[in-house]
Amino acid sequence: MGSSLRRCRTPLGFGLLAAAGILVIGLPIVGLVARTPWGRFVPILADGTAREALRLSLVVATSAGVLSLVAGFPLAWVLARASWPGASLVRALVVLPLVMPPVVAGVGLLAAFGRRGVVGSWLYEAFGVQLTFTTGAAVLAAWFVSFPLAVLALEAGLRGIDERLEGAAAAMGASRGYVLRRVTVPLLRSQIAAAFVLAWARALGEFGATITFAGNLQGRTQTLPLAVFERLQTDQDAAVALSLVLIGLALGVILALRGRFLR
Amino acid sequence: MSGLVVDVVVRRGDFEVAAAFEADVGETLALVGPNGSGKSTLVAALAGLVAPVHGRIELDGCALDADDVPSVPPERRPIGVVFQDLLLFPHLSALENVAFPLRARGVDRSTARRRAQELLERLGVGPRAGARPSELSGGEAQRVSLARALVARPALLLLDEPLSSLDVGVRARMRELLSEELARFPGVRVFVTHDPVEATSLADRLVLLEAGRVTQIGTPEEIRAMPRSRYAADLVGLNAFRGRLESAGEGVGRLVTDEGELTVALPPTYEGGEVIGLLRPVDVTLSLEPPAGSARNVLRGRVTSIAVDGERARLRIASAPPLVAEVTLGSLERLGLCEGAAVWASFKALEVQVLVD
């Protein structure tokens, strides 16, 4: 043989650029850990407003995750299975919140659900309901930004299912509802879990849309990211400590999804 | 009337299948045809997974599909199906797979599981009840799939290529089991195959399907006596030459095919036109030297394949037209034939049976 296989060597330039990338991601985390006031860590978290922000964050993220699944499954099904005019337009619309600046999302939500918004004014006049500055508004903002991730994960999952299995189930006497409960959903189990975790994580970190649409009210709309932002101006140690909590939660998400991202 | 009555046109994409046939209760019908002839499309239509463009499917007097009423949806058809790729549910155990049709029809859990277990025992896979489909061997998966089709006591048992996915060794045993189960199944049995042995050994009657059309319906004996297409002749092991018959004078005819010419006896009612010439492989004589006998047809070609079956060997010969010849193992050895060898093949004009197409 004339040529023999040579081990593929990493070009020097690639190595340097890759190292720079690792530093960009790694240094802020190292910095956070280094700056964490370990001595005050427990008192900061034990503080009433911090605990309240953590509780609120979990409530908001979990509600947004559940809503994304409940509304996302039918939408993903329609996108994956039905052929209808405008499907690609709707898919583009669904993806929009992913690439839209969150503050713009907040302004949009205000324009729709604010007291003088398209739907909000009607809600206020007909039922006396005002959404802005409520926990509901924080949930709505988090749902808005996390929904696309859930829909995309579920749609990919639905496309991956062998539809002939569902046909076989029908031929075995299963009604559509039974096929959905006993075949489709069980086959999608891991994608449903992934959709929930992705949406939950995105909702947990939401800042721009929340502060624009729901405001920054302790105990009602001040989630952890908003609390971090506020502490940054008054108590940097507290901001760092709360940030570390958010990183801890994010790490938990990666572990939960380890089958997908880690080998 | 009881039994199955089919007279439908089914379309899948650009492909159209038009088929009409009937099957009685207690009868086993084989839908036989080459790949792409529309067998699986017909299965899907019978199962209700594809709606016919028009026509009727009737089972025991009930219209499942008809032009003037809505089709019965798949889940309400009394049909048990074994799909070509089995399509066992990967997230359920063998037992749960077999219990599925009962559970889907509202049978309570313990009754469904008990009946599923009984059926798995009968089919010899009782000990594998807890296994997932991915853990089953090909033969085991086939048995579980058969159990799933039988468990709800359907009126029609529909099997799509039930043996094609199996290894040769497992296939013979499975064919035996299938033959027993078909015999004890009280309703209409329809199975799809492209295998001549399966078709002729398991079915009472064959429906031959080619390019979306039924070309012949009959018992294996009827088709052997008078195959109406080259595929049918192939199926029952005959040489078939489709072509134009021309008179060559004094009772002798010339059969002109796309692949070569043959001399045949001119039928007394000769009118010319398209015919099929049939030739039994045992009537072909093979020799290494040009034969000097009375045979009017003498062809030369290379042996492309040799299949040994017991004491006999079937040889494919790339002559013009191509031939299948059958000789004893003794002759094969005496001639020293192997694949690639050049050989003379001869047969009398009288041995070619001419059928008007």
Side-chain angles (χ1 to χ4, degrees):
Chain A
M1 283 289 178
S3 69
S4 65
L5 280 175
R6 271 198 308 164
R7 256 291 224 21
C8 179
R9 296 248 302 272
T10 310
L12 183 62
F14 272 28
L16 289 176
L17 287 172
I22 293 168
L23 286 181
V24 165
I25 292 176
L27 280 182
I29 293 169
V30 172
L32 269 179
V33 174
R35 284 281 322 272
T36 300
W38 294 108
R40 286 184 58 208
F41 196 69
V42 175
I44 287 172
L45 292 191
D47 174 58
T49 57
R51 283 215 326 261
E52 192 62 18
L54 177 60
R55 184 193 67 82
L56 200 60
S57 263
L58 295 178
V59 167
V60 167
T62 306
S63 310
V66 169
L67 286 170
S68 290
L69 278 193
V70 170
F73 189 87
L75 180 55
W77 195 93
V78 168
L79 286 174
R81 294 287 171 81
S83 62
W84 41 291
S88 53
L89 208 69
V90 168
R91 191 175 293 110
L93 184 74
V94 168
V95 178
L96 199 57
L98 272 185
V99 290
M100 175 193 274
V103 65
V104 175
V107 175
L109 285 166
L110 269 179
F113 300 106
R115 230 181 96 175
R116 281 190 292 278
V118 183
V119 181
S121 59
W122 172 76
L123 276 178
Y124 187 69
E125 279 157 27
F127 305 103
V129 174
Q130 187 184 345
L131 214 51
T132 40
F133 308 118
T134 63
T135 304
V139 170
L140 193 57
W143 181 13
F144 182 88
V145 298
S146 60
F147 192 50
L149 289 168
V151 174
L152 292 181
L154 292 172
E155 190 193 344
L158 276 166
R159 286 186 187 280
I161 285 187
D162 186 347
E163 279 187 63
R164 296 176 311 159
L165 284 172
E166 294 166 309
M172 302 297 150
S175 64
R176 293 189 76 168
Y178 196 81
V179 174
L180 192 69
R181 278 202 320 282
R182 293 298 312 277
V183 178
T184 314
V185 168
L187 286 174
L188 271 181
R189 226 171 10 208
S190 69
Q191 282 90 341
I192 289 173
F196 176 78
V197 172
L198 285 170
W200 186 83
R202 177 66 187 88
L204 189 72
E206 176 43 34
F207 176 81
T210 312
I211 203 163
T212 311
F213 177 51
N216 183 14
L217 303 174
Q218 270 181 20
R220 274 212 283 175
T221 70
Q222 191 185 72
T223 54
L224 266 182
L226 271 61
V228 169
F229 182 70
E230 197 183 78
R231 298 294 190 288
L232 210 50
Q233 281 130 44
T234 57
D235 180 356
Q236 291 218 359
D237 280 358
V240 170
L242 293 182
S243 296
L244 207 65
V245 171
L246 278 170
I247 287 188
L249 290 170
L251 271 178
V253 167
I254 290 178
L255 285 179
L257 288 175
R258 65 184 180 281
R260 292 168 82 88
F261 296 136
L262 303 176
R263 283 171 202 270
Chain B
M1 75 159 264
S2 61
L4 176 70
V5 182
V6 177
D7 186 356
V8 286
V9 176
V10 191
R11 207 167 285 153
R12 246 188 189 178
D14 289 340
F15 185 61
E16 191 186 89
V17 182
F21 56 87
E22 296 180 6
D24 282 333
V25 169
E27 185 181 36
T28 303
L29 198 72
L31 295 178
V32 193
N35 286 331
S37 57
K39 301 175 306 236
S40 287
T41 302
L42 267 185
V43 167
L46 287 170
L49 299 173
V50 175
V53 182
H54 57 80
R56 272 181 94 68
I57 296 177
E58 207 176 276
L59 183 57
D60 292 342
C62 297
L64 300 179
D65 290 284
D67 288 331
D68 44 357
V69 292
S71 289
V72 175
E75 64 267 24
R76 290 221 297 276
R77 297 184 176 214
I79 298 180
V81 191
V82 172
F83 291 95
Q84 185 170 7
D85 299 316
L86 305 187
L87 301 178
L88 290 171
F89 305 121
H91 60 294
L92 300 179
S93 70
L95 183 74
E96 289 165 333
N97 263 286
V98 178
F100 188 95
L102 295 174
R103 297 285 291 139
R105 290 176 171 93
V107 175
D108 70 86
R109 193 180 152 85
S110 66
T111 309
R113 292 176 78 96
R114 185 174 44 75
R115 275 174 60 186
Q117 184 68 44
E118 284 168 7
L119 205 48
L120 286 173
E121 305 282 352
R122 187 173 100 198
L123 295 178
V125 276
R128 303 293 283 144
R132 289 288 168 93
S134 58
E135 300 159 353
L136 299 172
S137 72
E140 287 168 348
Q142 196 74 47
R143 286 160 196 247
V144 171
S145 188
L146 182 59
R148 188 176 67 167
L150 288 168
V151 74
R153 297 177 185 141
L156 167 63
L157 181 61
L158 198 53
L159 310 149
D160 193 354
E161 299 273 7
L163 302 173
S164 65
S165 63
L166 299 178
D167 300 334
V168 180
V170 188
R171 198 178 293 186
R173 276 234 311 284
M174 190 66 202
R175 184 163 55 225
E176 221 169 276
L177 178 78
L178 197 58
S179 159
E180 283 167 27
E181 288 299 326
L182 285 171
R184 89 190 268 172
F185 181 76
V188 180
R189 316 124 186 178
V190 174
F191 76 96
V192 163
T193 183
H194 66 267
D195 181 64
V197 180
E198 254 173 71
T200 47
S201 65
L202 292 175
D204 301 314
R205 282 193 306 143
L206 313 184
V207 175
L208 303 196
L209 208 59
E210 293 173 66
R213 297 289 180 276
V214 173
T215 51
Q216 191 164 10
I217 299 177
T219 64
E221 292 71 34
E222 285 166 352
I223 292 174
R224 196 167 289 126
M226 192 177 279
R228 289 227 292 263
S229 67
R230 179 153 179 180
Y231 177 76
D234 246 13
L235 193 75
V236 293
L238 295 177
N239 286 297
F241 311 101
R242 183 187 285 275
R244 204 176 59 254
L245 182 62
E246 294 167 357
S247 174
E250 44 195 280
V252 179
R254 194 164 50 228
L255 178 53
V256 183
T257 75
D258 291 344
E259 296 161 310
E261 286 184 20
L262 296 177
T263 304
V264 301
L266 206 57
T269 56
Y270 165 72
E271 288 172 3
E274 295 291 310
V275 297
I276 293 181
L278 297 173
L279 172 68
R280 298 193 308 157
V282 290
D283 290 338
V284 178
T285 304
L286 297 182
S287 57
L288 294 175
E289 300 297 325
S294 63
R296 299 284 292 264
N297 292 291
V298 178
L299 309 172
R300 186 171 156 80
R302 291 194 179 277
V303 177
T304 55
S305 74
I306 300 176
V308 176
D309 178 19
E311 278 302 299
R312 296 184 297 184
R314 286 171 77 86
L315 296 87
R316 287 191 177 276
I317 298 158
S319 47
L323 284 179
V324 173
E326 192 171 301
V327 297
T328 62
L329 276 188
S331 302
L332 189 70
E333 277 164 25
R334 191 168 46 76
L335 292 169
L337 288 176
C338 57
E339 285 179 21
V343 70
W344 292 92
S346 56
F347 48 93
K348 294 181 180 178
L350 268 174
E351 279 161 347
V352 180
Q353 185 193 355
V354 176
L355 303 173
V356 176
D357 197 6

